[in-house]
């Protein structure tokens, strides 16, 4: 009872999150733009069970020839889902749970941050405004962007930790952003820089937070950055995905249009970019005290400006921004800042009845967005069967195919192709062993796409690998005679050293806190 009495306001806030999540409690699910989450979870689980730490190779994407998906795509949401999946929670329900966790954690993180400026009730309103942001509904019920949703959830925690001068917490929160979504992480560099320009006295803390974040995420960030050119990801920034086709107009931030389509050039987009009527109205009191929050107003202005056509000259001069594809992804930051500022209304109204009325306004004007267009049986979109994953998901998720891969490839039906006699086959993600008998020199094609890190040995002796040109799979020459073949995906030097940096950093933090607790 003491707990309830002390935290009743927070508990009520968490309860009002539930209306945004009602569709996930049904036994069925619904289609989204990105409905590959269950398949990703299955592939991550396969890699972990095969001993890949950290997992990098998804063996069934790419028409069954595999791709280094988790080497480049933010894996944190799927690690969270894996915890449940390991406890025998069905894959679909594990993914649903991670979506739900984002809404509860998002409310709490925003509450912590906004409470520092607006008090408990103001923080409560900011948390509610964050949960009921229309863009959060777009992320779940329209786009299905679990990774972006997760990265956005960590943004208020990051700024809360900076305000409270909690260096390690800030580093972990920023690491959460980096490990969830590459584009949001890229944008976060700019907004973190703005924050520290306005708080330059804390430049030492900025260096520590930045260094610690890089160290903790080195195992993912460094290889993903330096080895991305080995994949086709850069080719996905042209055509429809070129940023110049996806700037928005300021009126779209206010328009209450709602749809389940996609983004196109001009004003006829099929999805909403609104920031929410109540949220935008509630930030007006914060203008009175704008000097206290200059960095935040500047950041909000920068986020909005960079989403419009007026900023194209900047996008044109910074080639790395092309990886973002859609400038409106900056709604993740604009939404966070608007939700935070929404709590400023408590500086003008401080009666509980008024706060309740405002809360009902936020919920009433936004609740209708938190629902899917339709429901469908789980098996229509969310596969756990590896054959279905290879056959049905590969055309959807081709972002990180190796450059040497020929796409689309014929669906893999076996793990190898050779004229030699093969026996004693053992296959798991990232590993293949077999006994071969060749009457003459023969080519052996292992049906996984070639990528740096694949190594092979014959009878315990390392042999060189090639790239079979028709598909882009791993290939080697087997000499005449009987041989034992082993093919395995190992770590490149940059992957190995990045893993070591992150491991030592984490162990160092554990040792530091363990030592401080004893003293």
């Amino acid at each position: 009872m003491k707990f309830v009495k002390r935290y009743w306001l927070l508990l009520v806030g968490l309860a009002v999150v539930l209306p945004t999540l009602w569709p996930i409690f049904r036994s069925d699910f619904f289609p989204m733009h990105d409905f590959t989450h269950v398949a990703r979870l299955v592939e991550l689980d396969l890699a972990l069970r095969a001993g890949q730490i950290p997992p990098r190779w998804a063996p069934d994407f790419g028409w069954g020839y595999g791709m280094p998906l988790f080497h480049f795509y933010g894996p944190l949401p799927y690690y969270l889902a894996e915890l449940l999946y390991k406890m025998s929670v069905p894959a679909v329900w594990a993914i649903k749970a991670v979506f739900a966790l984002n809404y509860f954690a998002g409310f709490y993180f925003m509450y912590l941050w906004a409470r520092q400026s607006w008090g408990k009730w103001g923080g409560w309103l900011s948390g509610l405004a964050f949960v009921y942001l229309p863009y959060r509904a777009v992320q779940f019920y329209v786009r299905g962007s679990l990774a972006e949703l997760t990265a956005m959830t960590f943004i208020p925690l990051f700024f809360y930790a900076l305000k409270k001068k909690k260096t390690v917490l800030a580093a972990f929160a920023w690491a959460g952003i980096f490990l969830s979504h590459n584009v949001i992480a890229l944008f976060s560099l700019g907004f973190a820089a703005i924050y520290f320009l306005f708080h330059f006295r804390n430049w030492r803390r900025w260096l520590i937070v930045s260094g610690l974040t890089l160290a903790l995420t080195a195992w993912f960030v460094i290889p993903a950055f330096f080895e991305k050119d080995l994949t086709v990801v850069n080719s996905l920034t042209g055509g429809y995905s070129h940023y110049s086709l996806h700037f928005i107009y300021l009126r779209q931030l206010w328009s209450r249009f709602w749809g389940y389509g996609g983004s196109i050039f001009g004003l006829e987009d099929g999805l909403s970019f609104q920031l929410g009527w109540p949220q935008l109205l509630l930030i007006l009191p914060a203008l009175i005290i704008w000097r206290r929050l200059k960095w935040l107003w500047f950041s909000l202005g920068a986020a909005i400006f960079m989403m419009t056509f007026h900023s194209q000259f900047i996008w044109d001069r910074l080639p790395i921004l092309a990886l973002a594809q859609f400038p409106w992804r900056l709604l993740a930051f604009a939404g966070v800042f608007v939700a935070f500022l929404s709590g400023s209304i408590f500086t003008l109204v401080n009666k509980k009845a008024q706060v309740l009325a405002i809360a009902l306004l936020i919920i009433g004007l936004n609740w209708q967005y938190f629902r899917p267009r339709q429901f469908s049986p789980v098996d229509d979109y969310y596969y756990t069967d590896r054959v279905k994953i290879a056959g049905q998901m590969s055309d959807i998720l081709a972002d990180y195919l190796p450059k040497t891969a020929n796409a689309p490839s014929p669906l893999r039906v076996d793990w190898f192709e050779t004229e030699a006699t093969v026996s004693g086959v053992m296959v798991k993600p990232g590993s293949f062993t077999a006994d071969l008998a060749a009457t003459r020199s023969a080519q052996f094609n292992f049906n996984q796409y070639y990528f740096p890190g694949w190594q092979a040995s014959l009878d315990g002796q390392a042999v060189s690998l090639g790239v079979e040109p028709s598909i882009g799979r791993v290939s080697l020459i087997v000499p005449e005679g009987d041989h034992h073949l082993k093919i395995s995906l190992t770590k490149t030097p940059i992957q190995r050293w990045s893993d070591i940096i992150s491991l030592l950093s984490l162990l160092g933090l554990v040792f530091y806190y363990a030592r401080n607790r004893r003293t």
Side-chain angles (χ1 to χ4, degrees), residues 19 78 299 359 370 480:
Y78 305 102
S299 297
F370 291 84
E480 179 182 346

Side-chain angles (χ1 to χ4, degrees), residues 330-373:
L330 282 158
L331 282 167
F333 287 90
V336 165
F337 300 143
V338 165
F340 174 85
L341 292 170
S342 295
S344 66
I345 191 67
F346 196 68
T347 61
L348 298 181
V349 298
N350 51 22
K351 294 182 179 179
K352 294 179 182 179
Q354 294 172 319
V355 172
L356 179 60
I358 294 169
L360 291 175
L361 180 69
I362 294 173
I363 296 172
L365 287 178
N366 292 318
W367 179 72
Q368 72 237 40
Y369 305 132
F370 291 84
R371 62 184 66 200
R373 178 172 52 182

Side-chain angles (χ1 to χ4, degrees), residues 134-180:
Y135 189 59
R136 297 283 275 183
V138 169
Q139 288 175 320
F140 186 7
Y141 293 106
V142 180
R143 297 181 57 222
S145 51
L146 177 58
E148 186 179 315
L149 181 75
T150 305
M152 187 178 179
T153 296
F154 280 105
I155 295 172
L157 181 63
F158 175 58
F159 286 116
Y160 162 75
L162 291 178
K163 183 175 181 61
K164 295 292 288 182
K165 299 180 180 180
K166 296 179 180 289
T167 302
V168 175
L169 180 60
F172 273 104
W174 207 2
I177 296 173
F178 272 90
L179 296 178
S180 297

Side-chain angles (χ1 to χ4, degrees), residues 3 6-7 9-17 100-116 120 122-131 136 152-158 160-161 166 169 340:
F3 177 85
R6 183 175 181 181
Y7 296 105
L9 182 62
L10 182 58
L11 293 173
V12 170
L14 295 176
V16 298
V17 174
L101 178 63
N102 271 284
Y103 283 85
F104 289 113
F107 173 86
Y108 182 60
F109 294 161
M110 179 59 75
Y111 168 79
L112 286 178
W113 180 30
R115 184 182 63 180
Q116 308 304 313
K120 287 185 177 181
W124 189 88
L125 282 175
S126 289
L128 191 68
F130 185 53
V131 169
R136 297 283 275 183
M152 187 178 179
T153 296
F154 280 105
I155 295 172
L157 181 63
F158 175 58
Y160 162 75
K166 296 179 180 289
L169 180 60
F340 174 85

Side-chain angles (χ1 to χ4, degrees), residues 273-343:
F273 304 119
Q274 64 169 303
L275 286 170
W277 279 12
Q279 284 89 340
L280 287 173
L281 292 173
L282 290 173
I283 71 174
L284 296 179
L287 290 170
I288 301 173
I289 53 172
W290 70 273
R291 290 182 181 277
R292 283 173 44 195
L293 299 168
K294 286 186 290 186
W295 76 270
L296 203 150
W297 283 107
F298 186 87
S299 297
L300 176 59
I304 293 174
F305 173 73
M306 289 297 292
M307 287 189 278
T308 68
F309 290 93
H310 303 292
S311 68
Q312 184 166 347
F313 72 97
I314 299 177
W315 289 78
D316 292 341
R317 286 163 175 77
L318 295 175
I320 194 171
L321 290 179
L323 295 174
Q325 299 177 317
F326 308 111
W328 45 258
R329 277 180 162 149
L330 282 158
L331 282 167
F333 287 90
V336 165
F337 300 143
V338 165
F340 174 85
L341 292 170
S342 295

Side-chain angles (χ1 to χ4, degrees), residues 242-287:
H242 195 265
Y243 58 83
S244 62
L245 302 179
H246 301 284
F247 290 109
I248 67 171
Y249 296 82
L250 289 178
R251 73 193 80 166
Q252 291 179 292
L253 299 176
W254 178 257
S255 169
R256 285 179 62 80
F257 164 81
W258 193 258
Y260 292 85
S263 169
I264 61 173
F265 182 82
L267 282 166
E268 303 302 320
D269 299 279
L271 73 162
S272 174
F273 304 119
Q274 64 169 303
L275 286 170
W277 279 12
Q279 284 89 340
L280 287 173
L281 292 173
L282 290 173
I283 71 174
L284 296 179
L287 290 170

